[in-house]
Amino acid sequence: MKVSELERMSRSAVSEISALSDAGKLEEYRVRWLGGKGLIRRARAAIKEHQGPERVEFAKGVNRVAEEITEVLARAADRIEDEATARRIAEDWIDPSLPATAPRRGAPHPVRVVELRCVEIMGRLGFEQAEGPEVETSYYNFDALNIPRDHPARDMQDTFWVDEQRLLRTHTTSVQARLLAQAEGRPVKVVVAGRVYRNEAVDATHLAMFHQLDGFWVDQGLTFAHLKGVAVHLARELYGDRRVRFKPKSYPYTEPSVGIDVECGLCHGSGCAACHESGWVTIMGAGMIHRNVLKEFGYDPDRVSGFAFGWGLSRMTTQMYGLAKLRPVYRGDLRLLRALDGRPALCV
Ligand SMILES: [Zn+2]
């Protein structure tokens, strides 16, 4: 073998290796040149066949070719790996400039949305928000509110009794009684929202637990005109500019008592399924606080008067969100709650 021959072979190998794009082919070249039985090993073995200065020249030539091939193979290996990486990146490409996927955020429950809206409207009229216990005595829940012992509301069927004296409050009006007892004859102007409990057979529109909202105002000189003014303002704020009507009702703790209706938002008074063909939707019960209730808490009913009103916050929520049933609101079904999130209240 001559050096010139080895160099010629190495030149063509260098140009072939530079054009390779396959790691398998590159390995074949490495074995052919640098392997145990490769060209370089054989050329080194052939050094001893030369003599004198020719031997030195040949040995130098073999070393040069060995170095060059080693370097070319290493460069090609790097290049092929870089190309493979570039291909992988191109295939799995992620655009890092895209905005991240936002995690799902929670939202206020629809009942809470309506509650906050009501409390805010009342707040602008000067009603302060108050709270009371859900486990209540029969005195604050019934006796103090002029609900006699033989009243059907006190029936075991309608009330969850904890023991002889205590029960789960059946209305938020119990908080009115507590606040009047604490007021010691001073004026009171308060709004109360919270859970109430009824021992009812559960169906689409009745639940054993639901939310109510109560407001009341006790002071000198309050008349039925004040009640009407507050109720109509509330209805306008909640339902827009619709007709409002008052109808006679009977509640034990108010006298006189009224039910307050607004015109149905779907049929505008002509009658539809949502309003049971009446054209009206009942939104609240109200009345002038009964003289017996005022007397119970030390107010002189000839000098001091007051009015109270309340509504089923849960029922109002179903009306406002256009839901036919009450139960799904409390089932915690995320699909429903997500569908309602941010949806404007319908004000049926
Ligand atoms: Zn209607």
Side-chain angles (χ1 to χ4, degrees):
M1 186 189 271
K2 290 183 177 157
V3 172
S4 60
E5 191 189 344
L6 192 65
E7 283 177 336
R8 185 184 52 75
M9 285 168 69
S10 117
R11 271 198 301 279
S12 72
V14 165
S15 73
E16 284 163 23
I17 290 168
S18 305
L20 284 180
S21 58
D22 177 357
K25 285 263 163 46
L26 185 70
E27 178 62 9
E28 285 174 21
Y29 275 90
R30 192 194 65 76
V31 171
R32 190 189 307 163
W33 281 89
L34 306 178
K37 294 172 182 171
L39 288 165
I40 297 297
R41 176 72 65 93
R42 278 188 279 150
R44 287 210 166 107
I47 290 173
K48 59 180 181 297
E49 293 167 13
H50 299 270
Q51 300 302 324
E54 199 189 325
R55 181 173 182 165
V56 175
E57 275 308 302
F58 185 81
K60 280 185 180 168
V62 171
N63 282 345
R64 244 191 346 262
V65 169
E67 261 174 47
E68 189 181 20
I69 290 290
T70 304
E71 196 189 315
V72 167
L73 283 169
R75 270 210 308 270
D78 285 349
R79 178 176 51 77
I80 288 170
E81 196 184 318
D82 287 350
E83 284 168 2
T85 306
R87 267 200 306 280
R88 263 203 317 278
I89 290 172
E91 281 162 13
D92 305 338
W93 189 70
I94 301 165
D95 183 351
S97 68
L98 285 175
T101 310
R104 267 191 198 282
R105 285 192 304 175
H109 190 276
V111 172
R112 179 79 175 138
V113 171
V114 176
E115 177 190 318
L116 288 173
R117 173 93 180 103
C118 294
V119 169
E120 186 251 333
I121 296 166
M122 302 298 296
R124 279 190 271 124
L125 294 178
F127 287 81
E128 276 183 71
Q129 191 172 11
E131 287 182 350
E134 289 178 26
V135 175
E136 190 51 278
T137 63
S138 61
Y139 173 73
Y140 286 120
N141 197 80
F142 293 131
D143 302 295
L145 294 169
N146 200 34
I147 302 172
R149 292 203 173 270
D150 56 357
H151 194 279
R154 299 178 71 139
D155 199 304
M156 286 294 283
Q157 306 298 316
D158 295 323
T159 307
F160 288 113
W161 288 89
V162 176
D163 54 35
E164 289 282 300
Q165 289 302 314
R166 292 178 304 159
L167 47 87
L168 296 181
R169 68 181 181 198
T170 60
H171 47 195
T172 41
T173 317
S174 62
V175 183
Q176 292 189 24
R178 280 187 170 269
L179 294 172
L180 286 174
Q182 288 165 15
E184 295 176 335
R186 290 187 293 268
V188 188
K189 193 176 183 185
V190 164
V191 57
V192 180
R195 277 188 286 263
V196 300
Y197 302 85
R198 301 277 171 88
N199 195 355
E200 295 215 47
V202 172
D203 63 28
T205 52
H206 293 88
L207 291 175
M209 187 283 293
F210 52 97
H211 284 74
Q212 269 192 350
L213 193 141
D214 257 65
F216 75 110
W217 186 2
V218 172
D219 206 340
Q220 288 185 27
L222 291 175
T223 68
F224 196 80
H226 292 96
L227 186 161
K228 276 186 81 174
V230 169
V232 169
H233 176 77
L234 253 172
R236 292 263 150 82
E237 288 283 320
L238 289 168
Y239 294 92
D241 199 12
R242 289 197 227 158
R243 286 190 299 160
V244 178
R245 76 175 182 185
F246 290 69
K247 59 191 179 188
K249 279 274 188 179
S250 172
Y251 304 118
Y253 46 93
T254 49
E255 177 60 34
S257 305
V258 285
I260 298 162
D261 297 351
V262 288
E263 197 176 68
C264 174
L266 291 182
C267 62
H268 302 288
S270 59
C272 70
C275 59
H276 304 292
E277 306 301 332
S278 70
W280 296 91
V281 180
T282 300
I283 54 165
M284 60 179 117
M288 301 306 291
I289 294 172
H290 201 288
R291 291 173 65 87
N292 289 353
V293 176
L294 292 172
K295 269 194 270 183
E296 178 71 26
F297 296 112
Y299 291 91
D300 175 359
D302 292 324
R303 269 189 348 106
V304 174
S305 55
F307 64 87
F309 49 91
W311 60 87
L313 208 49
S314 310
R315 183 100 4 114
M316 186 176 271
T317 303
T318 58
Q319 287 171 358
M320 288 196 156
Y321 281 84
L323 299 169
K325 294 174 180 175
L326 193 56
R327 207 165 3 158
V329 175
Y330 286 103
R331 205 180 278 147
D333 186 334
L334 285 177
R335 290 168 303 177
L336 175 82
L337 296 175
R338 280 180 189 140
L340 296 181
D341 180 24
R343 195 171 120 186
L346 280 178
C347 303
V348 172

